[in-house]
């Protein structure tokens, strides 16, 4: 009888111990929680890898080829699945379709360089409503984004380009400006910053044609310069916003035999502009490294996915060159200090 009681006690103790173990296994460890998406609430499981898509304005051009290098390098370095997509021509509707497809694929994050910020607002809202993190670039003031990151203050960059155009023109004469699209916010801000600087500092210069659209197409930019030159034969300067504008203008200058008479500045990359800088058809280019911009966007996406959005404050170091001391406006509009100015004297310092 005594043996039977002891056996029953042992069984009871074993059952109690099992319940305690099972209960403990069902509880989270202190400080842990499930991953957060969309607005970045919560922290991810340690070591989780994410699927992050980057959508650009168009593919097959040097600027976004360089950006793709950054996308791939980020993935190789971090282990996240990263890739880039974009239409073959700059078209907001085509970008919308690509993003719709990515939403259907249930990617964790979408980083995007919009051709038209306004056109993408609805589809990016849809993505965020589905729990997908959205990071934008060249879309200052965009509403449906977790963060928009710019390489610099856009108005200041525009003023920087104007200072260089004024220098080339001797601070006098007629000039024109182009943008990829009137709905590309960064292009419009660069142009506005340049025009404001001209009015304030260079009274002997005059804008005879402003904000002509090129659709980010080098051939169209070349045609715009030729057309403006017919209307204003004393044209002396050109400033282009799209990555293809300055090269298109420089080609027209070369073919028209106007080197030294029309001065060209704009945003471009050295691989496209080196020959024009060396020939004198182009005076100067400004840019930021698209590869580093890609890394900045992808880094931000991971921060949000990991529930670390609150860390992004004035002075934050994103760990990417040019983005080591961020300026933060209204909580989600971020600015680095990543612009570079290149002339024939230092163009060979860059390999992209």
């Amino acid at each position: 009888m005594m043996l039977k009681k002891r056996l029953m006690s042992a069984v009871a103790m074993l059952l109690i111990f099992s319940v305690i173990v099972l209960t403990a296994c069902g509880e989270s460890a202190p400080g842990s929680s499930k991953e957060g998406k969309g607005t970045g609430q919560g922290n991810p499981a340690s070591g989780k890898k994410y699927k992050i898509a980057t959508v650009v304005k168009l593919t097959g051009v040097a600027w976004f080829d360089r950006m793709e290098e950054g996308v791939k390098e980020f993935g190789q370095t971090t282990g996240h699945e990263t890739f880039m997509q974009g239409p073959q021509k700059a078209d907001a509707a085509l970008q919308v379709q690509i993003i719709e497809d990515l939403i259907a694929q249930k990617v964790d994050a979408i980083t995007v360089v919009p051709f038209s910020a306004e056109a993408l607002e609805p589809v990016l809202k849809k993505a965020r409503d589905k729990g997908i993190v959205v990071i934008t670039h060249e879309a200052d003031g965009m509403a449906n984004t977790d963060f928009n990151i710019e390489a610099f203050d856009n108005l200041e960059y525009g003023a920087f380009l104007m200072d260089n155009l004024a220098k080339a023109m001797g601070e006098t004469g007629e000039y024109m400006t182009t943008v990829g699209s009137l709905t590309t916010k960064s292009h419009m801000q660069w142009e506005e910053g340049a025009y404001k600087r001209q009015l304030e500092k260079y009274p002997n210069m005059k804008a005879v044609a402003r904000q002509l659209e090129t659709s980010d197409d080098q051939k169209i930019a070349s045609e715009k310069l030729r057309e403006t030159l017919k209307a204003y034969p004393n044209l002396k300067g050109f400033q282009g916003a799209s990555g293809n504008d300055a090269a298109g203008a420089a080609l027209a200058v070369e073919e028209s035999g106007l080197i030294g008479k029309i001065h060209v500045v704009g945003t471009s990359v050295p691989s496209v502009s080196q020959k024009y800088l060396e020939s004198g058809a182009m005076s100067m280019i400004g840019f930021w490294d698209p590869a580093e911009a890609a890394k900045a966007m992808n880094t931000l996406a991971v921060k949000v996915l990991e529930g670390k959005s609150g860390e992004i404050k004035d002075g934050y170091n994103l760990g990417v060159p040019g983005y080591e001391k961020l300026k933060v406006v209204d909580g989600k509009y971020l600015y680095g200090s990543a612009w570079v100015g290149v002339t024939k004297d230092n163009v060979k310092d860059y390999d992209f």
Side-chain angles (χ1 to χ4, degrees):
M1 186 71 175
M2 184 65 68
L3 179 61
K4 185 176 180 179
K5 287 183 177 180
R6 289 178 178 174
L7 182 59
M8 290 177 67
S9 297
V11 171
M13 290 295 293
L14 180 61
L15 288 172
I16 292 169
F17 179 74
S18 298
V19 170
I20 292 171
V21 170
L22 288 172
T23 301
C25 290
E27 294 177 352
S28 300
S32 69
S33 63
K34 294 183 179 180
E35 72 186 71
K37 296 174 68 175
T39 58
Q41 300 299 313
N43 297 313
S46 178
K48 180 173 175 60
K49 301 304 179 185
Y50 298 107
K51 186 175 183 179
I52 307 172
T54 295
V55 180
V56 297
K57 297 177 189 178
L58 74 165
T59 56
V61 296
W63 186 269
F64 291 117
D65 288 346
R66 176 64 177 174
M67 182 166 280
E68 188 169 24
E69 291 179 22
V71 170
K72 290 179 177 178
E73 185 177 336
F74 182 84
Q76 292 166 355
T77 302
T78 62
H80 297 295
E81 182 182 350
T82 58
F83 59 97
M84 191 184 91
Q85 294 182 348
Q88 293 183 339
K89 65 176 181 177
D91 187 313
L94 295 177
Q95 271 195 315
V96 169
Q97 186 56 59
I98 290 170
I99 294 170
E100 288 279 10
D101 292 343
L102 291 169
I103 292 171
Q105 294 175 36
K106 298 181 179 180
V107 297
D108 294 299
I110 298 172
T111 75
V112 58
V113 186
F115 178 67
S116 168
E118 289 82 0
L120 265 58
E121 289 280 17
V123 74
L124 293 181
K125 181 180 186 303
K126 180 178 178 180
R128 298 187 75 215
D129 288 345
K130 295 285 186 179
I132 296 172
V133 167
V134 172
I135 305 295
T136 51
H137 177 55
E138 292 191 50
D140 196 20
M142 191 149 197
N144 289 294
T145 182
D146 287 272
F147 287 105
N148 181 77
I149 186 162
E150 301 294 325
F152 36 68
D153 180 287
N154 287 326
L155 295 175
E156 291 179 3
Y157 177 67
F160 164 72
L161 292 178
M162 176 51 66
D163 287 339
N164 280 273
L165 179 60
K167 180 180 179 181
M169 292 174 59
E171 300 186 11
T172 184
E174 298 176 342
Y175 72 96
M176 63 178 290
T177 65
T178 59
V179 296
S181 167
L182 295 175
T183 59
T184 300
K185 289 188 175 182
S186 58
H187 291 189
M188 296 299 287
Q189 289 173 330
W190 301 342
E191 198 280 341
E192 288 165 7
Y195 183 60
K196 182 178 179 181
R197 176 60 63 89
Q198 181 262 303
L199 292 178
E200 292 174 346
K201 194 173 179 180
Y202 308 111
N204 294 323
M205 293 174 62
K206 180 182 179 182
V208 294
R210 291 184 59 204
Q211 302 174 354
L212 304 182
E213 290 185 279
T214 66
S215 297
D216 288 30
D217 188 300
Q218 182 172 324
K219 183 178 179 181
I220 294 176
S222 185
E223 291 170 353
K224 293 295 183 184
L225 187 144
R226 296 175 200 272
E227 291 169 2
T228 305
L229 184 60
K230 288 180 182 178
Y232 300 95
N234 294 321
L235 188 72
K236 194 175 176 182
F238 174 100
Q239 180 177 313
S242 159
N244 293 310
D245 289 359
L251 176 62
V253 168
E254 278 192 345
E255 292 179 345
S256 302
L258 294 171
I259 292 177
K261 295 181 179 180
I262 296 181
H263 307 276
V264 174
V265 305
T267 301
S268 186
V269 290
S271 60
V272 171
S273 297
Q274 180 175 347
K275 61 182 178 181
Y276 299 121
L277 289 167
E278 292 177 343
S279 75
M282 187 184 291
S283 300
M284 172 267 179
I285 58 170
F287 64 92
W288 65 104
D289 189 341
E292 301 300 346
K295 294 175 192 175
M297 286 191 290
N298 278 262
T299 299
L300 276 172
V302 173
K303 287 288 183 186
V304 178
L305 286 163
E306 290 181 343
K308 297 179 180 178
S309 300
E311 295 180 2
I312 311 299
K313 299 177 181 179
D314 263 333
Y316 185 79
N317 183 353
L318 201 56
V320 178
Y323 305 86
E324 298 99 335
K325 192 175 181 180
L326 295 179
K327 175 185 176 183
V328 181
V329 176
D330 294 334
K332 68 176 183 179
Y333 302 110
L334 314 180
Y335 305 87
S337 52
W339 80 51
V340 176
V342 170
T343 67
K344 65 180 180 180
D345 297 325
N346 63 339
V347 66
K348 291 183 179 179
D349 293 346
Y350 301 91
D351 61 358
F352 63 90

